Amino acid sequence: MIARLLAISGRVQGVGYRDWLVREAQRLGLRGWVRNRPDRSVQALVAGDAAQVRAMIAACQRGPLLARVGAVAETPAEVPEEAGFSRRADG
């Protein structure tokens, strides 16, 4: 299992990005969370099998219909202990 911390920038707040990401992550069976950042970006921790994580990163580069993703930066992260994928409070 691998984990990546994603910083997603562009027009990604106010367009349903977090709800979309939760649905996609749950569909892929990933662990982790997503939240808005004060700089208008979205941050997500995604963890799972390497192929699932890569599929999620590729999906994040497209995003939901109304989003306009500028960039998806990724850094290695620790795998979360808790199962499931959730939406966290902004931070």
Side-chain angles (χ1 to χ4, degrees), residues 4-91:
R4 296 291 181 269
L5 186 64
L6 308 179
I8 306 152
S9 60
R11 188 171 145 218
V12 293
Q13 287 192 20
V15 295
Y17 199 99
R18 289 173 299 161
D19 290 336
W20 169 84
L21 199 147
V22 168
R23 286 190 304 273
E24 286 296 306
Q26 290 173 342
R27 182 180 65 79
L28 290 167
L30 296 173
R31 290 182 178 187
W33 49 262
V34 61
R35 67 181 175 182
N36 279 340
R37 300 289 295 158
D39 65 0
R40 309 281 304 152
S41 68
V42 168
Q43 184 179 45
L45 175 66
V46 296
D49 293 338
Q52 294 168 310
V53 171
R54 292 281 165 230
M56 186 75 249
I57 293 169
C60 284
Q61 292 169 344
R62 292 184 305 275
L65 185 60
L66 296 176
R68 296 294 173 260
V69 178
V72 178
E74 63 176 281
T75 56
E78 294 292 321
V79 174
E81 290 186 21
E82 37 315 309
F85 200 93
S86 64
R87 184 173 154 172
R88 283 196 173 170
D90 296 353

